[in-house]
Amino acid sequence: MCKVDGKFKFSPISVNLLTEAAKVLFAIAMLLFQARRQKVGDKPLLSVSTFMQAARNNVFLAVPALLYAINNYLKFIMQLYFTPATVKMLSNLKVLVIAVLLKIIMRRRFSIIQWEALALLLIGISVNQLRSLPGGTTALGLPVATVAYLYTLIFVIVPSLASVFNEYALKSQFDTSIYLQNIFLYGYGAIFNFLAIVGIAIFKGPSSFDILQGHSRATMLLILNNAAQGILSSFFFKYADTILKKYSSTVATIFTGIASAALFGHTLTINFMLGISIVFISMHQFFSPLAKVKDEGPNGTLELMDAQNGRSKDDPFINMTAGAADGATHRVGHDERKPLLPT
């Protein structure tokens, strides 16, 4: 809805800057609200010492913030080549990359059935993408398919790294208030986007520094929507699971497709419907009790993990969701905490 003649009349970076600013304001408001509800004897959230200590402990959040800044710009570029529903489907490619990164970085384990479910997810996405681009279209002097595939590769890898690093950073400082962590994460994001705007202004002139140029009611709604999406994602990363978050986004795919068809006249092809069906079968398979990871028992044999606990004593993170219990555990030491999301 923000496009005019197939292009954006505003700077996508300015939208991302305003989005990060909105998220910072929300985090500050919620931190103040949380501070007012503190009990006597709790560590004060609004003290300078608490803020400085949290800032030092959460400096790693600058890494996912930078990656998100790049990814949020790519989202606009992808909209120039694909329909909204197709962009949403392509984003599901991140699930497989995220699973590999979780296995490497956070030593997360997945069963064979879960790997097969992820492969099935890719098949569903591929079915949806068959003949999705008009033939003969070009961009930047190259066939649009070539450019689109290049952007898609970056669009998959960059946010996958951001998601895994974000989950790692948030959970590694689990005792820090999520609203305080969000202030740092979104603050870093705002800084990176502001530096990008300054860099563009240096090359294009001071006129490009007007961050509200070309904006409309649609862009304001876009800013609010993106801010809400980012805030909700942070709760998934800290209290739930990155893969669960990505799988949950597949639920939005069908609504995106329907809304795209209703608002813009995009056709819901048979490929799209088949692809969506396969994706949801994959999601059901991934979180099925039959897909639970097996633990190695004391005698060297493989034993099914307890369906209720989904973890062993020595696991460094706590399992936060029932679905994720079957395939991936979250651990935060021996101090167990209640999950935010229902189990």
Side-chain angles (χ1 to χ4, degrees):
M1 293 176 66
C2 297
K3 288 191 290 188
V4 178
D5 297 329
K7 298 180 180 180
F8 299 114
K9 297 297 183 181
F10 57 90
S11 169
I13 300 178
S14 67
V15 170
N16 295 332
L17 173 61
L18 294 174
T19 299
E20 298 300 324
K23 290 190 285 188
V24 169
L25 292 177
F26 176 83
I28 292 175
M30 293 305 298
L31 183 66
L32 294 174
F33 178 76
Q34 185 182 30
R36 291 184 60 182
R37 299 186 62 183
Q38 277 190 297
K39 298 178 181 179
V40 178
D42 290 346
K43 187 176 181 180
L45 291 173
L46 302 180
S47 68
V48 176
S49 60
T50 298
F51 183 86
M52 295 304 296
Q53 181 180 0
R56 290 192 296 269
N57 294 339
N58 291 274
V59 68
F60 186 72
L61 286 171
V63 175
L66 176 59
L67 294 173
Y68 279 133
I70 298 172
N71 175 67
N72 291 337
Y73 177 76
L74 288 175
K75 286 182 179 180
F76 287 93
I77 301 299
M78 293 291 288
Q79 291 285 352
L80 297 177
Y81 298 106
F82 299 104
T83 65
T86 302
V87 172
K88 196 66 180 176
M89 288 295 293
L90 284 173
S91 69
N92 292 329
L93 286 168
K94 303 171 190 174
V95 176
L96 183 58
V97 180
I98 286 174
V100 174
L101 292 175
L102 285 174
K103 182 175 179 62
I104 296 174
I105 297 175
M106 299 184 68
R107 293 181 297 176
R108 195 75 51 82
R109 291 181 297 168
F110 303 99
S111 68
I112 296 297
I113 296 178
Q114 288 175 319
W115 286 113
E116 291 175 348
L118 295 177
L120 191 62
L121 175 65
L122 295 183
I123 295 174
I125 295 172
S126 300
V127 169
N128 177 65
Q129 290 306 301
L130 292 176
R131 303 181 63 181
S132 62
L133 290 172
T137 309
T138 60
L140 303 179
L142 296 173
V144 69
T146 304
V147 178
Y149 291 147
L150 177 61
Y151 280 131
T152 299
L153 182 63
I154 303 175
F155 182 66
V156 169
I157 294 177
V158 171
S160 298
L161 286 169
S163 296
V164 174
F165 285 144
N166 194 14
E167 180 181 344
Y168 177 83
L170 291 175
K171 287 178 177 171
S172 65
Q173 299 297 323
F174 199 91
D175 291 329
T176 304
S177 168
I178 188 172
Y179 302 117
L180 192 54
Q181 288 179 307
N182 282 346
I183 290 176
F184 299 130
L185 176 64
Y186 305 143
Y188 286 131
I191 291 173
F192 291 135
N193 283 287
F194 179 77
L195 292 176
I197 291 177
V198 171
I200 293 174
I202 292 175
F203 285 99
K204 291 187 176 181
S207 60
S208 61
F209 194 75
D210 184 5
I211 61 175
L212 296 179
Q213 182 179 1
H215 283 250
S216 62
R217 291 182 180 179
T219 59
M220 295 300 106
L221 291 174
L222 180 63
I223 290 169
L224 293 176
N225 179 77
N226 288 350
Q229 182 180 349
I231 292 168
L232 290 172
S233 295
S234 67
F235 284 91
F236 267 99
F237 290 134
K238 182 158 184 172
Y239 297 108
D241 177 85
T242 306
I243 287 206
L244 179 63
K245 185 261 178 186
K246 295 310 301 178
Y247 258 116
S248 68
S249 69
T250 63
V251 178
T253 303
I254 188 169
F255 295 106
T256 303
I258 294 174
S260 178
L263 295 175
F264 310 117
H266 295 149
T267 304
L268 293 180
T269 65
I270 186 63
N271 289 347
F272 176 79
M273 300 308 296
L274 288 174
I276 286 292
S277 301
I278 297 174
V279 165
F280 278 101
I281 291 173
S282 167
M283 183 167 63
H284 177 268
Q285 180 178 339
F286 187 90
F287 294 110
S288 169
L290 298 176
K292 287 188 297 185
V293 173
K294 296 180 179 180
D295 271 347
E296 187 172 343
N299 57 356
T301 60
L302 292 178
E303 300 175 349
L304 282 176
M305 294 175 62
D306 183 355
Q308 296 297 325
N309 296 327
R311 58 183 180 271
S312 64
K313 281 186 178 179
D314 299 328
D315 286 339
F317 289 96
I318 284 183
N319 189 341
M320 291 297 175
T321 62
D326 298 334
T329 54
H330 297 289
R331 294 157 270 217
V332 288
H334 300 288
D335 179 22
E336 299 187 359
R337 302 175 177 83
K338 293 182 179 180
L340 173 70
L341 300 181
T343 59

